Amino acid sequence: MPHDHSGHAHDHHDHDHHDHDHAHGHGHHHGHGHHGHSHAPKDFGRAFAVGVALNLGFVLIEAAAGLITHSLALLADAGHNLSDVLGLLMAWGAVVLAKRAPSARRTYGLRKGTILASLANAALLLIAVGAIAWEAVRRFATPEPIQTGPVMIVAAIGIAINTATALMFMKGSKDDLNVRGAFLHMAADAAVSAGVVIAALAMALTGWLWLDPVVSLAIVAVIVLGTWSLLRDSLDMALDAAPRGIDTAKVRDWLAQRPGVIEVHDLHIWAMSTTETALTAHVVRPLDGDHDAFLHEACEHLANKFNIGHVTIQVETSGGAHGCRLAPADVV
């Protein structure tokens, strides 16, 4: 059953396992650490609520304006903004679910939902831009005149709304992939709206109707570029890769250099959520070592030095009769 072991390390019983089949034929200890890091993502509930409300209202206005003015650029941006609203709702819902307590079956709770939401958000954006690109290519063959004045007004409103929303998520964009996704989408939307204003002004001055689908394709490029890193990082986290910014080799070297450590193996680092990182490792130390002090120091420093807040370390003594079957590098 899951239990709270925040801020301390546990030195479990030391005994031999020679009378039954066990993965480790020698004494072992487990240290668990959660030092100075909250388990739930930061609360951006108000930012999500305001962002959803503003952008949903703007989607309705922008879509109506796009239909009235025959502007594909506005319709494309409205479609993108709608996908952003859905993305914000998914991210918001995942943050709420991540705060639910662990259960007997879901011992980590629903923290992983934040990662799945980020992955779904990225996939949703890529599907949306595919539809925009298809329509833009079709418009090259049959360009349609647009009412540039209303287009510029609506797009200017979009710049204000998206910039204000992006600023609400800027503070947490470095620490939370969900919040980073929201920030990137809103910032990209503000840039896209600015591009629509510029294109509409250019069409008003030159009469070049082909600028509308060109701007739509530029919107597609902006979205793809902004979404690619989100998709890559979300997929990595979903596959339990070590989060970006954490060098596994450096973590291994740091552990290996701790006093009394003879060997480090079976090291795993993965994301529990978009804000939390977990680590498990086996370390070999002398039987007479001070394992309690070692576990406390290791957990504390892994949290402070590498931002790894959920640490489980198994200490194996060097005098065991059998080697750990997980010691080879190619064994998971």
Side-chain angles (χ1 to χ4, degrees):
M1 292 291 292
H3 58 281
D4 188 340
H5 30 237
S6 179
H8 60 275
H10 291 296
D11 185 11
H12 288 195
H13 46 276
D14 187 8
H15 54 277
D16 290 330
H17 297 278
H18 302 302
D19 56 343
H20 62 279
D21 184 19
H22 193 276
H24 311 285
H26 44 266
H28 58 275
H29 310 261
H30 299 271
H32 307 275
H34 306 277
H35 299 277
H37 297 269
S38 65
H39 291 296
K42 294 179 181 178
D43 188 3
F44 282 85
R46 179 176 295 180
F48 278 119
V50 173
V52 167
L54 287 177
N55 281 273
L56 186 58
F58 182 62
V59 164
L60 298 176
I61 295 172
E62 193 172 30
L67 292 172
I68 293 171
T69 62
H70 304 289
S71 170
L72 177 60
L74 278 184
L75 288 174
D77 197 34
H80 177 213
N81 277 313
L82 180 58
S83 70
D84 279 350
V85 170
L86 296 177
L88 286 174
L89 287 172
M90 285 190 296
W92 190 7
V95 168
V96 172
L97 290 176
K99 295 178 180 179
R100 295 184 61 178
S103 66
R105 184 179 180 189
R106 295 183 174 89
T107 56
Y108 277 139
L110 296 174
R111 291 177 172 83
K112 204 81 168 183
T114 57
I115 297 173
L116 297 179
S118 297
L119 185 59
N121 200 352
L124 180 65
L125 277 170
L126 293 177
I127 293 172
V129 299
I132 295 171
W134 179 269
E135 180 62 16
V137 172
R138 190 191 68 79
R139 281 284 182 102
F140 274 114
T142 56
E144 297 181 18
I146 68 171
Q147 300 175 34
T148 56
V151 168
M152 285 189 285
I153 292 173
V154 173
I157 295 173
I159 294 174
I161 290 177
N162 289 315
T163 299
T165 307
L167 290 175
M168 290 189 293
F169 292 107
M170 180 182 290
K171 184 177 179 180
S173 62
K174 294 181 180 179
D175 302 321
D176 189 335
L177 197 62
N178 254 339
V179 176
R180 174 181 153 200
F183 170 75
L184 286 175
H185 291 172
M186 297 300 105
D189 282 349
V192 165
S193 295
V196 172
V197 171
I198 295 171
L201 179 61
M203 280 187 283
L205 296 175
T206 64
W208 295 343
L209 299 181
W210 52 265
L211 284 173
D212 186 46
V214 165
V215 169
S216 299
L217 290 176
I219 291 173
V220 167
V222 169
I223 297 171
V224 170
L225 288 174
T227 304
W228 184 252
S229 63
L230 180 67
L231 177 65
R232 178 196 61 201
D233 292 348
S234 299
L235 186 59
D236 280 345
M237 283 188 171
L239 294 174
D240 288 336
R244 289 187 177 273
I246 295 181
D247 189 327
T248 304
K250 288 184 178 179
V251 175
R252 182 186 296 276
D253 290 344
W254 184 87
L255 280 172
Q257 293 167 7
R258 296 307 91 206
V261 172
I262 300 170
E263 179 190 340
V264 177
H265 60 266
D266 196 36
L267 173 65
H268 299 280
I269 304 173
W270 72 98
M272 296 171 60
S273 71
T274 55
T275 59
E276 300 166 274
T277 303
L279 174 150
T280 60
H282 294 194
V283 298
V284 179
R285 301 183 81 240
L287 183 62
D288 57 352
D290 187 346
H291 300 310
D292 277 342
F294 166 77
L295 293 172
H296 279 289
E297 189 261 354
C299 291
E300 186 73 32
H301 281 78
L302 285 168
N304 296 330
K305 185 178 179 68
F306 297 101
N307 198 30
I308 302 174
H310 190 118
V311 173
T312 303
I313 295 176
Q314 175 165 307
V315 176
E316 299 167 355
T317 61
S318 57
H322 304 286
C324 175
R325 70 175 181 83
L326 298 177
D330 59 343
V331 175
V332 177

